[in-house]
Amino acid sequence: MPAFNGLPDLDVQLAALAAQDYEGEFEVILSDNGSTDGLREHVAHFESPLNIRWIDSSDVRGTPHARNAGIDAANGDFLAFTDQDDAVYPNWLTALTRAAESFDAVGGPIEVRTLNSAEVSTWRVVPAPEERFDTEYLPYAHGNNFGMWRRVVDEVGKFDETFLGGGEDADLSWRIQQAGLTLGHAPDAMVAYRLRTTARAAFRQGIGYGKSAWQVTHKHEPNGAQQPTVRSLLLFAYGLTLRNPWVPESLSPLPKGMWAMSAGSLRGTVSLRFKHALADNLVSRRLWGQWSRTTPRAGAAPSGSTSAHRCR
């Protein structure tokens, strides 16, 4: 479990893990990615029946690296992942491991009611428990509710540490399936998901999601993943304009947090797409300049000749 300044929410998750009905033994690895809230000392004095191990993953910033450090430190053959600010249901690990008996990797559902206020819980629409997280390309397992056998890591590698705003879960899920391995879904392995509580925070999170969505799709374009078209982005922006939180109720405005995260996601996607297109354009112009300097134009004198020589 990656950790970064997660107190006091972390204690809720640790209590949920301590309440697991799993009959086997398991360890909880807290991969500290540079916390400044006294996490190490807190864990050292934390009274719990759990076998908790604190490890330092602060050498490289980001959740993917923290998860990878946890993979390296883990002793077990089955690796289960969740997040510091969520809360797994009591049967989570049992359901996840039972499903993993038939798959190489497995994910589960999330719900947004338990840990959020009535208002904030309307800010995110999540799939029904029996439904997977689908995309236009391939399904994926949510990073806070995911498990895989260690042999999967040996075959496809760990989390891509270049994804700092999210998307590392989709990337790994897609690589697993591209390798011909199976990604299952455990409908009863539920995790309560904690949302951002302000529209500003939801907007910032949306920017990260938008950038990571573009990044992971771009990485997998050679395998068939496709970026949204300009037309679809424009229609999405148009829809956000029509249903912004300040329009009359008769026009069905979106909840402010949902609108903010969607607007942030659009901004993140468009900004990274524009930045990439600009970089491609600069490279193309540079290559064109190099080509034009080294390629003789029609009627130009061969190298080493002069106009006077051509007239003779």
Side-chain angles (χ1 to χ4, degrees):
M1 182 164 54
F4 177 75
N5 291 345
L7 297 173
D9 293 339
L10 172 64
D11 286 349
V12 176
Q13 179 66 289
L14 291 177
L17 288 167
Q20 291 297 291
D21 63 8
Y22 183 70
E23 295 182 353
E25 295 183 358
F26 68 95
E27 60 181 349
V28 176
I29 297 177
L30 283 178
S31 183
D32 190 344
N33 200 229
S35 298
T36 57
D37 59 354
L39 174 62
R40 186 174 188 178
E41 294 76 13
H42 180 78
V43 172
H45 298 93
F46 187 75
E47 295 185 4
S48 171
L50 293 170
N51 175 19
I52 303 176
R53 281 203 291 139
W54 177 95
I55 66 169
D56 182 10
S57 59
S58 61
D59 53 324
V60 178
R61 182 175 68 92
T63 297
H65 175 72
R67 287 193 172 123
N68 288 341
I71 290 173
D72 292 337
N75 293 315
D77 290 328
F78 184 73
L79 307 167
F81 301 87
T82 190
D83 285 342
Q84 63 178 6
D85 54 350
D86 300 327
V88 296
Y89 273 36
N91 66 325
W92 173 70
L93 191 56
T94 298
L96 208 62
T97 53
R98 182 183 298 124
E101 294 174 0
S102 303
F103 299 99
D104 299 302
V106 63
I110 62 174
E111 56 90 356
V112 296
R113 301 179 309 277
T114 302
L115 298 179
N116 304 290
S117 68
E119 178 191 4
V120 171
S121 65
T122 67
W123 292 4
R124 185 77 63 89
V125 176
V126 298
E130 65 274 9
E131 297 175 352
R132 298 197 295 182
F133 292 90
D134 283 321
T135 71
E136 295 293 331
Y137 179 49
L138 290 170
Y140 70 98
H142 211 269
N144 72 335
N145 193 355
F146 173 61
M148 62 180 172
W149 297 102
R150 184 174 292 278
R151 55 180 167 74
V152 175
V153 177
D154 297 334
E155 185 163 346
V156 304
K158 293 181 285 191
F159 291 96
D160 187 334
E161 297 185 4
T162 64
F163 291 98
L164 297 180
E168 76 281 358
D169 48 5
D171 170 64
L172 183 56
S173 296
W174 291 358
R175 284 190 281 127
I176 288 171
Q177 295 168 88
Q178 289 164 359
L181 303 178
T182 54
L183 176 67
H185 181 71
D188 50 346
M190 181 66 75
V191 171
Y193 183 54
R194 193 183 302 272
L195 300 175
R196 301 296 189 269
T197 57
T198 68
R200 182 183 296 273
F203 179 75
R204 289 197 299 266
Q205 185 181 43
I207 292 177
Y209 283 173
K211 288 181 177 180
S212 65
W214 184 94
Q215 186 182 7
V216 69
T217 303
H218 179 67
K219 176 179 178 179
H220 291 271
E221 279 182 304
N223 298 312
Q226 293 183 344
Q227 298 285 1
T229 63
V230 173
R231 181 176 183 275
S232 66
L233 291 175
L234 290 174
L235 288 174
F236 187 66
Y238 180 65
L240 286 178
T241 302
L242 290 181
R243 300 187 61 191
N244 74 77
W246 300 278
V247 301
E249 287 294 327
S250 60
L251 296 178
S252 301
L254 293 173
K256 64 178 182 180
M258 179 184 292
W259 186 89
M261 196 186 76
S262 299
S265 178
L266 178 64
R267 175 177 172 177
T269 296
V270 171
S271 65
L272 204 56
R273 182 170 185 156
F274 178 78
K275 180 179 180 180
H276 184 76
L278 183 62
D280 281 350
N281 184 54
L282 291 174
V283 170
S284 297
R285 297 176 98 181
R286 188 177 299 114
L287 291 174
W288 169 256
Q290 293 174 351
W291 181 85
S292 62
R293 287 194 299 271
T294 58
T295 304
R297 286 172 289 184
S303 178
S305 65
T306 64
S307 297
H309 176 76
R310 289 201 305 273
C311 291
R312 287 200 297 270

